[in-house]
Every structure is written in C-alpha cells, then in structure tokens.
Amino acid sequence: MNIKKFNIFNWLLQVFGVSIRELKLIFADVGVIIFFLVVCLVYPVLYSLIYNTELPRDVKVVVVDDDRSADTREFVRMLDATQEVAVVGYAASMQEARRLVNDHECYSIVHFPADFSASVERLGEQAHVNVYCDMSVMMRYRQTLIAVNAVQQEMNAHIQAATVSAIPMNVGGTTLDNKQVPLGNTAMGLASAVLPCILVLVLQQSMILGVGMLHGGSRDRRRRNGGIDPEQLNCSALVTVLGRTVAYLLVYVVPTFYTLLLVPKFFSFPQNGNPFEIIMMSLPYLIACALFAQTLKVLIKGREATFITLVFTSVGFVFLSGISWPRYQMSELWQAVGNMIPSTWAASSYIQMQSNGASLFDQGPTHVMLWLLCGIYLVTATFAEYYIARRQNTGESPSPLKGERL
C-alpha cells in the first residue's frame, strides 16, 4: 500500500517536473511566445477589424437606362432608397459604365433593356433587369443583389395589386404578413456569423503551430548535441504528454478568456452565453487541442518545417467546421474527418451558446464529443511520443537518450 502511494506521488511529481520544464522552454523561445500569446492577442482583433462593418452599406451603383421610362425611373428611385446601395449616377452606355467600374468610381452596374417598360405593361410577359458586379469583394455583390431583388419584389407586388384591383375583395390588407425576426445574429452581419468560428479556430491553430515549433527546436538541439536533448527529462511517454498538456493549459488561460469573452464584447458580437459555461466548454477543447497538436508533431522535421507542414491546415479546418458549407451537405468521409477536429465541435458549441443563448446542458452531446476526442488523442499523442523517443534512440542518436531524472 505504501509503495503504491509512493509510486503515485512520484508519478505526479514527474508530471509536474515536465510541466515546469516545458513552461521554461516556452517562455525562453520568442517564436513559441509569438504563436502562443501574440497570435491569440492580435489575430482576433485583426479579423474583427476587417469585418467590423458587418455588412457594407451604400455600395456605389451606376445605372444604364436604355428604356428611359417612368417605370425605370421609379425602379432607380426605390433602389437608391435602400440601405444596401447608393445610385451615384447614369452612364450613357455599357462601355462607359465598365470604365467607371474599372476606375473604382462604382462597383456595380444596373442595366435596363430597351423593352423593360413594354414587358412590364404586357400581361404574362416577364421584364428583365441586368446586374453586373465587381466580384473582388463578395459582400458588395451580395448587397447589390439583395437591393435589386427587394425592389423587384416591391414593384411586382404593386403591379399585381393594380392588376387585380378590379376584383371585389371582402378582406382588407394582405392575407399573410411576412416579417423577418433574426434571433441570434441580430445584426445579420458577416462578422457576427463568421468571427465566432474564427475565434475558436485561432486558439487551436496557434497551439498546433507553437507545439510544432517546440518539437522542431528539440530536434535541432539533438542535432547539435550528438542526438541528446539536454532540455528533455527522461520520463515515460504518458508522463511527458500529460506534463506538456498541463503546461499548455496554463499558458492558454489568459488567451482563452481574452479571445472567447473579451473580443466579442469589444466588437459587439453576440454575447448571449454564460461566461462560466463557455469557459467550461473550452476546457475539454483546449485539452483536445493540446493532445491533437502533440499527435501532429510527428510530421515536423525542424522548426521551419512547422510552417510548411501545418499552416495550410487552417483553411481545411475552416471548411470542415461547416462555416462556409453546411456539414450535412458534406460527404460521409469529410463529415468523419471533421468529427476528428476539435475546432469543429467547439465552434458549433460556441456559436450556439453565444448567438442563441444555449446552455452547457443543451450542448451536452458536443461537450461529450470533446471529452471523447481528449481520450482518443491522449492515446495517439502517447504513441506519437513513444515513437519519436524510440526513433531518436535507435536512429538519430548513437546512444540511449539521456536527461535528468526526477
């Protein structure tokens, strides 16, 4: 009984020793500090500033009117009254309008064909409005299209009302009243929809890159010291993984609080979640990220290789999270791949909590999946650490790995 207690105490002491050593390595490496701290502080603010306007207003539009009728003038008047676009003038021809777009004096062209008014007045015939947009910024295209569609629907409603005005009606007003009420994203803006996912992903990617750089630094020290890393303790693979995980969690306490709670407050993103429950959700997420990063480090051959090997994964993880394409529309293969990424579950849970006010209990299945990933990646990270240590002992170093022993 006493021996077991002593072994458990010694095991915990080794975990503590690995954590202290890892913290020293982190704060002694400028590159790792940049990834762990500076990236988490700067990137959320940078992305938030880029999308801070939520949606562009008064996108400049020029009109080419080949019909020159009262209907087209009314259409332009209503279009200019929308908050999405602003009509800056008329162009005599499409060539002149294209020149204005090329000179960035406007970003969209609305063209009325010569038969627009005649088509409107003939029953059963459909009139057409041509819209040309500068696609360099998708939000401008979206706003122009929304404004034109809204005006078309409004004019179409007036025309239909005038057509059936002779029919006796016993009920006044419209039969159905359509009213749009946004629940979570009340601003209906791009930033409130996209940034919560990006904030969660920043924590994961910064940790992956920082852990990769730490591992690359260890390999570099072995090359300089005959296969021996003087900064590594001689512990088992499981103890090493757990000790490093504890160190990463301690480092990420402030970045997590800042990224998930303060940045949304700074930029007025949806904040309907309970801060304590958000922190509780982030705990298994950070553990899964730390273990996931320690699994991926088997791909790293040096400090510089971190950028080549792991940076490109950011784009893939964004798509797999479902922010740009719904996950239910993905194939079963990509859904399975996305399920193995911690940010996929954490982003979904964070958006539901912050935007829709969901509780941690409501996100129970997602929370369970994050803890399940912690268990899976604890096994894979331990095997990865064992594989790396064995490869170093048998291949890279001429003698068994040496180091301090607790």
Side-chain angles (χ1 to χ4, degrees):
M1 187 67 179
N2 294 332
I3 296 177
K4 290 184 178 180
K5 289 183 178 180
F6 174 78
N7 288 338
I8 293 175
F9 176 78
N10 185 52
W11 185 82
L12 292 176
L13 189 62
Q14 289 182 357
V15 172
F16 177 76
V18 172
S19 299
I20 296 299
R21 177 58 59 89
E22 196 72 8
L23 288 172
K24 291 180 180 179
L25 292 176
I26 290 172
F27 289 102
D29 193 323
V30 177
V32 176
I33 292 177
I34 290 176
F35 280 126
F36 277 0
L37 300 178
V38 178
V39 167
C40 292
L41 295 177
V42 174
Y43 268 49
V45 174
L46 180 62
Y47 280 110
S48 300
L49 289 174
I50 292 174
Y51 295 103
N52 191 34
T53 55
E54 293 282 3
L55 289 175
R57 307 295 184 187
D58 293 331
V59 177
K60 295 180 180 180
V61 173
V62 69
V63 176
V64 178
D65 189 358
D66 291 336
D67 187 58
R68 294 180 176 86
S69 64
D71 290 329
T72 58
R73 288 192 294 271
E74 177 67 11
F75 193 105
V76 173
R77 184 191 66 78
M78 295 174 63
L79 185 65
D80 190 39
T82 63
Q83 63 179 353
E84 287 83 10
V85 302
V87 178
V88 297
Y90 285 82
S93 63
M94 285 297 298
Q95 289 76 14
E96 180 183 352
R98 289 173 181 172
R99 180 185 60 79
L100 294 174
V101 172
N102 293 335
D103 294 340
H104 299 291
E105 296 184 22
C106 66
Y107 302 102
S108 302
I109 303 171
V110 177
H111 173 239
F112 296 97
D115 61 345
F116 177 82
S117 181
S119 300
V120 169
E121 295 173 358
R122 289 194 291 265
L123 294 178
E125 187 169 339
Q126 189 176 34
H128 297 275
V129 179
N130 302 319
V131 180
Y132 305 88
C133 299
D134 178 8
M135 298 297 291
S136 59
V137 179
M138 290 293 295
M139 289 185 292
R140 292 172 183 161
Y141 160 77
R142 177 182 181 272
Q143 293 296 87
T144 304
L145 202 60
I146 288 175
V148 172
N149 286 336
V151 174
Q152 284 180 333
Q153 292 176 4
E154 184 70 19
M155 288 193 69
N156 185 54
H158 287 309
I159 293 171
Q160 289 181 349
T163 302
V164 300
S165 60
I167 302 176
M169 302 293 290
N170 295 325
V171 180
T174 58
T175 305
L176 296 176
D177 185 18
N178 183 12
K179 186 177 181 181
Q180 186 177 20
V181 181
L183 296 178
N185 184 2
T186 55
M188 297 184 66
L190 185 63
S192 297
V194 174
L195 262 298
C197 178
I198 300 299
L199 295 179
V200 172
L201 191 64
V202 164
L203 295 175
Q204 174 182 280
Q205 293 306 102
S206 64
M207 186 178 294
I208 289 176
L209 294 173
V211 171
M213 183 165 285
L214 283 170
H215 177 64
S218 176
R219 290 179 62 96
D220 292 343
R221 287 192 296 271
R222 285 188 173 86
R223 294 190 186 100
R224 295 193 301 266
N225 294 278
I228 300 173
D229 182 4
E231 300 295 338
Q232 180 173 334
L233 299 178
N234 189 14
C235 301
S236 67
L238 179 60
V239 168
T240 302
V241 169
L242 292 177
R244 288 172 176 172
T245 302
V246 172
Y248 303 150
L249 290 178
L250 293 175
V251 172
Y252 268 80
V253 170
V254 174
T256 301
F257 181 84
Y258 167 81
T259 302
L260 299 184
L261 296 180
L262 294 185
V263 171
K265 189 177 294 292
F266 294 158
F267 295 94
S268 300
F269 297 148
Q271 304 166 60
N272 300 317
N274 185 308
F276 175 75
E277 292 184 344
I278 291 176
I279 295 300
M280 291 301 297
M281 179 275 299
S282 66
L283 177 60
Y285 173 58
L286 292 176
I287 296 175
C289 288
L291 297 172
F292 181 48
Q294 293 181 76
T295 301
L296 293 181
K297 71 181 184 180
V298 296
L299 306 175
I300 303 302
K301 304 299 181 182
R303 287 174 66 88
E304 297 78 9
T306 304
F307 302 95
I308 302 174
T309 308
L310 298 179
V311 168
F312 79 95
T313 59
S314 301
V315 178
F317 292 160
V318 168
F319 282 100
L320 290 173
S321 67
I323 189 174
S324 58
W325 187 259
R327 279 176 47 80
Y328 61 82
Q329 291 284 354
M330 299 180 185
S331 65
E332 294 182 357
L333 171 62
W334 290 115
Q335 287 188 33
V337 174
N339 290 340
M340 297 304 297
I341 310 300
S343 59
T344 300
W345 299 100
S348 174
S349 181
Y350 181 67
I351 291 173
Q352 291 295 330
M353 296 173 74
Q354 283 287 57
S355 297
N356 298 328
S359 65
L360 190 63
F361 178 79
D362 297 329
Q363 296 300 304
T366 302
H367 201 65
V368 170
M369 281 301 304
L370 286 173
W371 282 113
L372 181 60
L373 288 180
C374 291
I376 293 174
Y377 285 123
L378 175 61
V379 175
T380 58
T382 302
F383 275 103
E385 183 65 30
Y386 175 79
Y387 169 76
I388 292 172
R390 183 176 181 181
R391 184 180 60 184
Q392 291 164 354
N393 290 336
T394 59
E396 293 181 356
S397 60
S399 59
L401 183 63
K402 298 180 180 179
E404 299 181 20
R405 185 183 296 270
L406 290 175

